[in-house]
């Protein structure tokens, strides 16, 4: 595997690790036994890592969620499915590559898997439009949802998007309407739907694939009504207040679980999914299967009702006269 | 192009050329004289008001508040408000430069409303309806938990009483201060529309100046019939966000009602003076018994 790119807040760890490497080289070149010092430093590094990664600030988690080496939709598909077949296009003129969908087996069970795809190279980013769908992407997803419903396949959506694309063509072909239509149609699906926010879960662009019976998040993923940068530029008139906005918006998995917006948190390897992608994939697979097993007893009507009730109850109001 | 069409297109061009921000300045209705943003005419306020807050000279539609909208659209004395005392909480204890609680108080004092929407039942030219009107003056008409809950309850009431639903939108989008709870109102209201559909209830949305973001991406565009009020601007993303993303200048008519009609996103554009009868007629056309 290629070397992990470090994030700014990880600098202290890398400094200790460099030190350890130096001591090892010195020991080898000079023949002096430095194993005691190396052990101590190694232990210190481990302790420090645990402390750092278990106390991440929201904006640090966002940096992990956006890490260029974070597993993408296709990484998950490659790691957790067999017999995968991709289906293309919205049947109305477009195949939006920022949303990919197909059928594959997870643990032998065929299911529809749809998600947003991000790229790692410039060429890929152009192809996948940085994981920012146009209306045609949402319509392709909806076409596939209906396909799954017809053949009684469970649906899994895997979401990592900075939001629906804000552009001229996207407005002309009805970005708002396409997302709205998905919200409405997903509410009625008679098969179990499981959504996982794996990285960025921004705004209506994410929700348009996430009206699910079970919504899960990876430990360092974030789910928000607006990007912290967008929020900061409106409310603080300065996008550089994004860390403050990230705190205020409460976008982390633990808060969202406590608030019953999501149903579970998928553990990541220490430091984030990109350090051990296979582990993250395996954990995601386990959670998806657990969620499905919890829904397996429900008939079609109960599946719809379960989802409806979940979203009907969201929000906080009070009776008051100001 | 005939002379009449040419004049008309000139007029429309002028309409479209007005800066987007002009529409965001509070209308100066209430003062003795009103200056039209579009044609610049100084008009007696009373005359403008009597003309449904439409400029008698050029037809420019001034933004109106929710109370005025209800007065204009609902039959005299027919409107009965529902859920008037439903208020917001502050689930995130949100604070930017100002605490959310302070912003709520300010908005309440300014609008005399609990939140950014009025719901109720009444009649439109004799036709019974369940109606909701969003209030842009309340924190930009943003959708938080109260807006989502009141729309859901209104739709449930409409199903119970078998009433058509008419919603006048006017919103900058989601209410950031309620974070994820605000986002979830998009799902909640869309689920409520799915129940309307299941019960074959007619649902008309009237997109008024301005309708953006979370409202466009949920109940705003889920109407069986979507009407855009003349002069309204609408869309998913805001103009500034799009310009920053694509780094190019947008066409001058971008995100106007006319623009969305041309691109097939709305059923019709309706001027304010035709709105009431248009809605009533649509209700009658859809009221046939099986
Ligand atoms: Zn005028």
């Amino acid at each position: 595997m290629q070397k992990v790119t470090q994030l700014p807040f990880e600098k202290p760890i890398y400094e200790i690790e460099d030190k350890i490497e130096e001591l090892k080289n010195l020991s080898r070149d000079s023949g002096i036994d430095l194993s005691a010092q190396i052990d101590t430093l190694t232990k210190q590094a481990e302790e420090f890592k645990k402390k750092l990664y278990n106390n991440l600030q929201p904006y640090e988690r966002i940096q992990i969620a956006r890490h260029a080496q974070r597993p993408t939709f296709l990484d998950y598909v490659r790691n957790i499915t067999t017999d995968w077949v991709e289906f293309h296009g919205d049947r109305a003129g477009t195949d939006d590559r920022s949303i990919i969908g197909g059928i594959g087996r997870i643990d032998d069970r065929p299911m529809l898997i749809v998600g947003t795809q991000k790229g790692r190279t410039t060429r890929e980013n152009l192809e996948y439009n940085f994981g920012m769908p146009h209306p045609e992407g949402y319509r392709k997803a909806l076409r596939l949802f209906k396909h799954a419903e017809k053949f009684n396949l469970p649906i899994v959506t895997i979401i990592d998007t900075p939001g629906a694309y804000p552009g001229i063509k996207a407005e002309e072909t009805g970005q708002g309407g396409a997302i709205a239509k998905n919200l409405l149609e997903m509410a009625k699906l008679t098969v179990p739907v499981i959504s996982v926010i794996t990285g960025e879960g921004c705004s209506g662009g994410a929700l348009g694939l996430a009206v699910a019976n079970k919504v899960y998040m990876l430990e360092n993923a974030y789910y928000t009504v607006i990007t912290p940068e967008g929020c900061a530029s409106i409310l603080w008139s300065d996008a550089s207040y994004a860390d403050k906005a990230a705190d205020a918006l409460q976008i982390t998995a633990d808060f969202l679980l406590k608030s019953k917006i999501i149903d579970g948190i998928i553990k990541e390897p220490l430091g984030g999914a990109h350090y051990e992608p296979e582990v993250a994939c395996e954990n995601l697979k386990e959670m998806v299967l657990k969620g499905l097993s919890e829904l397996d007893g429900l008939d079609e009507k109960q599946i719809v009702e379960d989802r409806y009730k979940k979203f009907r109850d969201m929000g906080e109001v009070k009776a008051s006269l100001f | 192009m005939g002379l009449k069409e040419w004049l008309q297109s000139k007029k429309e061009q002028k309409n479209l050329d007005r800066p987007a921000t002009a529409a965001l300045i509070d209308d100066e209705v209430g003062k003795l004289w009103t200056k039209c943003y579009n044609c610049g005419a100084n008009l007696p306020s009373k005359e403008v008001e009597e003309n449904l807050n439409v400029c008698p000279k050029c037809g420019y539609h001034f933004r109106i508040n929710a109370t005025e909208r209800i007065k204009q659209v609902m039959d005299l004395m027919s409107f009965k408000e529902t859920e008037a005392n439903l208020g917001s909480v502050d689930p995130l204890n949100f604070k930017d430069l100002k605490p959310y609680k302070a912003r709520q108080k300010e908005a309440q004092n300014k609008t005399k409303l609990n939140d950014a929407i009025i719901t109720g039942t009444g009649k439109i030219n004799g036709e019974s309806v369940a109606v909701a009107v969003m209030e842009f003056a309340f924190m930009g008409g943003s959708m938080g938990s109260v807006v989502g809950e009141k729309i859901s309850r209104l739709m449930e009431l409409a199903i119970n009483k078998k009433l058509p639903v008419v919603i006048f939108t006017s919103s900058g989008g989601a209410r950031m201060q309620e974070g994820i709870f605000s986002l979830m109102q998009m799902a909640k209201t869309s689920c409520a529309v799915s129940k309307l559909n299941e019960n074959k209830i007619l649902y008309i949305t009237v997109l008024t100046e301005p309708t953006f973001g979370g409202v466009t991406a949920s109940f705003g565009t889920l109407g069986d019939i979507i009407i855009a009020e003349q002069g309204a601007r609408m869309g998913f993303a805001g103009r500034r966000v799009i310009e920053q993303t694509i780094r190019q200048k947008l066409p001058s008519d971008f995100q106007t009602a006319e623009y969305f009609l041309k691109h097939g996103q709305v059923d019709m554009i309706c001027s304010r003076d035709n709105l009431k009868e248009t809605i009533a007629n649509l209700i009658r056309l859809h009221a046939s018994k099986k």
Side-chain angles (χ1 to χ4, degrees):
Chain A
M1 202 200 132
Q2 72 184 116
K3 200 173 177 316
V4 168
T5 318
Q6 70 181 81
L7 295 165
F9 68 88
E10 293 179 309
K11 210 170 156 219
I13 293 175
Y14 284 84
E15 279 171 2
I16 301 177
E17 284 180 348
D18 284 349
K19 197 85 184 161
I20 295 169
E21 204 53 37
E22 243 175 69
L23 285 177
K24 279 183 181 162
N25 289 340
L26 183 67
S27 169
R28 196 181 50 232
D29 296 346
S30 64
I32 305 167
D33 180 15
L34 295 168
S35 56
Q37 285 92 328
I38 292 172
D39 277 357
T40 315
L41 265 186
T42 308
K43 237 181 235 145
Q44 269 179 17
E46 288 309 308
E47 288 292 305
F48 186 83
K49 264 191 197 173
K50 258 192 213 144
K51 217 173 119 191
L52 179 78
Y53 290 130
N54 290 326
N55 294 287
L56 289 169
Q57 297 304 301
Y59 204 68
E60 293 169 341
R61 288 196 195 276
I62 289 176
Q63 292 169 57
I64 295 176
R66 291 173 179 168
H67 197 287
Q69 288 160 313
R70 195 163 175 84
T72 66
F73 172 77
L74 286 174
D75 292 327
Y76 286 107
V77 167
R78 278 185 210 110
N79 272 287
I80 67 174
T81 68
T82 53
D83 300 337
W84 166 258
V85 183
E86 184 183 340
F87 298 129
H88 291 265
D90 65 353
R91 296 294 187 271
T94 305
D95 182 33
D96 184 342
R97 300 289 296 143
S98 61
I99 289 182
I100 294 180
I103 298 178
R105 291 177 196 272
I106 298 182
D107 207 25
D108 253 2
R109 184 171 176 183
M111 48 191 93
L112 176 79
I113 310 169
V114 172
T116 54
Q117 175 66 23
K118 282 185 180 172
R120 293 214 172 90
T121 61
T122 307
R123 193 190 61 79
E124 283 178 354
N125 274 324
L126 287 176
E127 177 180 357
Y128 302 128
N129 199 33
F130 300 87
M132 302 172 91
H134 280 75
E136 292 77 5
Y138 293 102
R139 292 181 184 127
K140 167 163 107 176
L142 180 56
R143 174 178 85 80
L144 296 175
F145 295 157
K146 296 279 190 188
H147 179 91
E149 187 174 48
K150 178 171 174 185
F151 297 102
N152 202 25
L153 298 168
I155 297 169
V156 179
T157 65
I158 293 179
I159 298 155
D160 180 10
T161 176
Y165 187 67
I168 295 178
K169 193 172 150 272
E171 292 291 323
E172 290 176 356
T173 58
Q175 188 71 285
I179 291 171
K181 177 96 171 148
N182 272 24
L183 303 180
L184 177 109
E185 294 293 336
M186 285 189 88
K188 298 190 294 188
L189 291 168
T190 55
V191 292
V193 183
I194 301 216
S195 293
V196 185
I197 317 278
T198 56
E200 302 185 88
C202 289
S203 186
L207 184 66
L209 298 174
V211 182
N213 296 83
K214 304 272 183 200
V215 180
Y216 301 123
M217 277 172 81
L218 259 71
E219 197 181 335
N220 293 308
Y222 72 102
Y223 194 10
T224 180
V225 65
I226 182 171
T227 60
E229 287 78 8
C231 178
S233 73
I234 298 170
L235 293 181
W236 279 265
S237 308
D238 184 349
S240 67
Y241 284 89
D243 56 338
K244 277 206 164 81
D247 286 344
L249 285 166
Q250 308 251 36
I251 58 183
T252 56
D254 52 351
F255 175 81
L256 297 174
L257 180 65
K258 222 166 44 197
S259 309
K260 298 198 169 78
I261 300 293
I262 64 166
D263 303 280
I265 300 175
I266 297 167
K267 283 290 278 179
E268 290 185 37
L270 198 66
H274 57 290
Y275 280 98
E276 292 171 89
E278 322 74 45
V279 176
C281 290
E282 190 56 32
N283 292 350
L284 180 140
K285 175 181 153 182
E286 291 303 315
M287 190 63 110
V288 166
L289 290 173
K290 180 174 163 275
L292 279 179
S293 72
E294 286 167 21
L295 297 166
D296 272 341
L298 306 182
D299 64 26
E300 292 187 351
K301 220 177 142 197
Q302 288 168 324
I303 288 284
V304 177
E305 202 46 43
D306 170 73
R307 203 183 300 117
Y308 179 80
K309 207 180 157 332
K310 177 188 177 74
F311 287 93
R312 178 65 188 86
D313 289 344
M314 285 183 187
E316 308 265 333
V317 296
K318 64 170 187 213
S320 77
L321 270 175
F322 68 88
Chain B
M1 196 187 286
L3 183 63
K4 209 174 139 205
E5 283 97 341
W6 183 80
L7 279 171
Q8 182 63 25
S9 78
K10 274 308 215 197
K11 208 162 100 184
E12 276 165 13
Q13 196 52 44
K14 217 167 169 190
N15 237 319
L16 304 176
D17 283 343
R18 89 179 188 269
T21 47
L24 299 176
I25 301 166
D26 274 355
D27 294 341
E28 296 177 19
V29 179
K31 293 181 188 164
L32 231 44
W33 291 87
T34 298
K35 192 177 160 77
C36 176
Y37 300 128
N38 185 47
C39 70
N42 269 308
L43 308 152
S45 296
K46 205 168 150 40
E47 194 182 318
V48 175
E49 220 182 298
E50 278 165 2
N51 197 40
L52 305 173
N53 285 294
V54 174
C55 173
K57 293 270 185 297
C58 73
Y60 172 72
H61 284 49
F62 289 86
R63 188 184 295 157
I64 56 174
N65 66 29
T67 315
E68 173 65 20
R69 175 73 68 185
I70 288 167
K71 210 171 90 190
Q72 287 187 9
V73 171
M74 305 305 291
D75 295 351
L76 194 66
M77 309 291 281
S78 75
F79 182 72
K80 288 194 181 60
E81 190 173 356
T82 54
E83 313 290 352
N85 56 7
L86 216 54
S88 308
V89 292
D90 181 10
L92 304 184
N93 216 348
F94 194 97
K95 186 171 180 289
D96 46 271
L97 298 176
K98 245 188 231 173
Y100 178 34
K101 284 197 184 77
R103 287 189 194 272
Q104 286 172 329
K105 265 266 151 337
E106 251 170 52
Q108 286 167 343
N109 291 334
K110 183 167 131 196
T111 60
K112 310 289 172 225
L113 298 177
N114 255 323
D115 211 289
I117 194 165
I118 301 178
T119 59
T121 57
K123 288 185 177 201
I124 298 179
N125 278 355
E127 302 302 318
S128 295
V129 294
V131 66
V133 183
M134 299 188 78
E135 176 55 75
F136 191 77
F138 195 107
M139 298 186 72
S142 55
M143 170 159 65
S145 299
V146 172
V147 170
E149 184 67 25
K150 283 178 83 166
I151 283 176
S152 303
R153 289 191 191 181
L154 183 79
M155 289 179 175
E156 286 157 4
L157 175 111
I159 292 169
N160 270 333
K161 300 201 165 178
K162 298 196 172 9
L163 292 173
V165 178
V166 181
I167 298 186
F168 293 84
T169 63
S170 183
S171 171
R175 186 166 302 167
M176 286 175 284
Q177 290 85 350
E178 291 188 25
I180 198 79
F181 296 101
S182 162
L183 184 67
M184 292 305 139
Q185 303 313 306
M186 290 169 60
K188 181 157 103 181
T189 52
S190 302
C191 288
V193 178
S194 85
K195 293 271 173 185
L196 284 185
N197 291 345
E198 211 179 292
N199 288 276
K200 297 191 164 36
I201 300 277
L202 175 66
Y203 172 36
I204 299 173
T205 55
V206 185
L207 310 180
T208 77
E209 164 74 7
T211 299
F212 281 90
V215 169
T216 306
S218 65
F219 66 90
T221 50
L222 290 175
D224 297 303
I225 299 157
I226 306 174
I227 301 173
E229 187 176 40
Q230 189 179 317
R233 281 162 194 271
M234 56 200 62
F236 175 67
R239 196 182 173 91
R240 210 172 37 153
V241 172
I242 296 173
E243 276 178 341
Q244 279 167 1
T245 307
I246 64 174
R247 291 167 204 283
Q248 74 184 72
K249 224 176 137 36
L250 294 165
S252 64
D253 65 340
F254 189 60
Q255 294 184 322
T256 56
E258 292 77 6
Y259 187 85
F260 280 108
L261 182 73
K262 192 172 89 187
H263 288 286
Q265 305 301 333
V266 299
D267 284 292
M268 66 190 84
I269 297 175
C270 196
S271 61
R272 198 168 282 164
D273 59 334
N274 281 324
L275 212 42
K276 188 169 176 168
E277 183 46 32
T278 300
I279 294 169
N281 185 42
L282 286 170
I283 292 172
R284 285 180 215 120
L285 288 172
H286 288 79
S288 65
K289 303 272 178 301
K290 262 197 231 85

